[in-house]
């Protein structure tokens, strides 16, 4: 299934593919054939990139699941204005990962912010602070947490569906980032983390850890 967020790109690419396919049959030449090959390759990539799989949710009472597919590239202690002392778990999404983000725990949306910034490579740790990003602040009965959607060098479009005061469930669609990017989940300092740097995670299925509250 193709994500609705990708149709703004997939549909024009598909029409371009149709047009150049017809042109290659009517007046074949090297330039048209080369252009058709490029468009065909890009269309296959777009279909693959904008896939939107349905996921079986692996969740227990106090467990937070990964909000995105990717690789854990950083786990660090930090401080947060609202939450105080926290741990930040960073997930890098390459262009080959599913770029859907899901709500990782049954929650209430407290706040949403969008901050403009730079576009460093999402695999760099400074991207967590410097890059353009959206930050969603969630409340639960066990503790609060945040999810950052962070743009990368290629990604220039962050989509977020969270609205303050809404109640959301684990596995709900949180948003989508077009092309390479990064997702940080900010958890309380006493949160028990069950993943390590280098681990590959799957949204809705990999357990990142559990609240101690």
């Amino acid at each position: 299934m193709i994500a609705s967020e990708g149709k703004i790109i997939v549909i024009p690419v598909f029409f371009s593919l149709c047009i150049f396919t017809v042109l290659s049959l009517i007046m074949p030449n090297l330039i048209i054939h080369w252009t058709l090959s490029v468009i065909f390759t890009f269309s296959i990539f777009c279909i693959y990139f904008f896939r939107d799989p349905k996921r079986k949710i692996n969740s227990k009472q106090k467990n937070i699941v990964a909000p995105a597919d990717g690789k854990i590239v950083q786990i660090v202690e930090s401080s947060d204005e609202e939450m105080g002392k926290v741990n930040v778990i960073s997930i890098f999404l390459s262009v080959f990962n599913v770029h859907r983000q899901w709500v990782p725990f049954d929650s209430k949306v407290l706040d949403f912010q969008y901050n403009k910034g730079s576009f460093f490579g999402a695999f760099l740790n400074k991207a967590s602070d410097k890059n353009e990003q959206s930050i969603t602040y969630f409340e639960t009965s066990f503790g609060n947490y945040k999810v950052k959607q962070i743009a990368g060098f290629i990604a220039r479009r962050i989509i977020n569906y969270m609205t303050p005061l809404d109640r959301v469930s684990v596995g709900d669609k949180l948003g989508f980032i077009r092309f390479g990017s990064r997702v940080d989940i900010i958890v309380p300092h006493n949160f028990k983390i069950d993943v390590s740097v280098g681990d590959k995670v799957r949204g809705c299925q990999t357990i990142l850890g559990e609240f101690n509250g």
Side-chain angles (χ1 to χ4, degrees):
M1 182 177 180
I2 297 176
S4 59
E5 296 87 350
K7 290 179 180 178
I8 192 172
I9 295 175
V10 172
I11 291 174
V13 169
F14 176 75
F15 277 113
S16 298
L17 181 63
C18 292
I19 290 170
F20 275 89
T21 298
V22 172
L23 288 175
S24 69
L25 296 173
I26 296 174
M27 46 181 189
N29 64 59
L30 186 60
I31 294 176
I32 290 177
H33 281 302
W34 182 85
T35 305
L36 177 61
S37 298
V38 171
I39 295 174
F40 177 77
T41 302
F42 185 61
S43 66
I44 296 299
F45 169 76
C46 286
I47 291 171
Y48 176 76
F49 178 85
F50 289 110
R51 65 198 186 280
D52 192 10
K54 291 185 178 180
R55 291 283 170 82
K56 182 179 179 180
I57 299 170
N58 178 25
S59 179
K60 297 180 181 178
Q61 189 177 20
K62 293 185 179 182
N63 289 341
I64 281 186
V65 295
D69 289 7
K71 181 180 179 180
I72 304 291
V73 292
Q74 179 179 240
I75 300 175
V76 295
E77 293 183 353
S78 187
S79 60
D80 182 86
E81 290 184 3
E82 289 84 14
M83 295 175 59
K85 199 172 182 181
V86 296
N87 285 309
V88 181
I89 305 170
S90 300
I91 303 170
F92 170 66
L93 291 71
S94 76
V95 294
F96 301 107
N97 290 123
V98 172
H99 271 57
R100 164 73 60 210
Q101 289 83 57
W102 296 271
V103 173
F105 196 85
D106 293 343
S107 315
K108 177 182 177 181
V109 181
L110 291 180
D111 193 20
F112 169 77
Q113 297 178 1
Y114 189 88
N115 298 328
K116 292 184 177 181
S118 303
F119 294 97
F120 294 111
F123 56 88
L124 298 173
N125 291 331
K126 63 182 177 180
S128 291
D129 298 319
K130 303 294 186 181
N131 279 22
E132 185 168 316
Q133 58 193 254
S134 69
I135 307 169
T136 310
Y137 186 23
F138 295 96
E139 177 186 58
T140 82
S141 55
F142 301 108
N144 296 354
Y145 69 96
K146 293 182 178 181
V147 175
K148 280 187 183 182
Q149 298 166 278
I150 303 167
F153 179 72
I154 299 175
R156 300 298 174 105
R157 183 72 172 93
I158 299 173
I159 301 168
N160 184 289
Y161 297 122
M162 299 293 98
T163 302
L165 304 183
D166 278 0
R167 292 195 176 275
V168 292
S169 300
V170 58
D172 286 350
K173 292 180 179 181
L174 188 152
F176 200 96
I177 310 175
R178 294 189 185 133
F179 305 112
S181 51
R182 183 183 182 107
V183 174
D184 286 358
I185 181 162
I186 302 167
V187 293
H189 185 257
N190 65 347
F191 182 86
K192 181 179 178 293
I193 299 174
D194 291 333
V195 291
S196 302
V197 172
D199 287 354
K200 292 182 179 180
V201 298
R202 284 173 63 85
C204 297
Q205 295 181 346
T206 303
I207 295 172
L208 298 182
E210 65 177 35
F211 287 107
N212 282 324

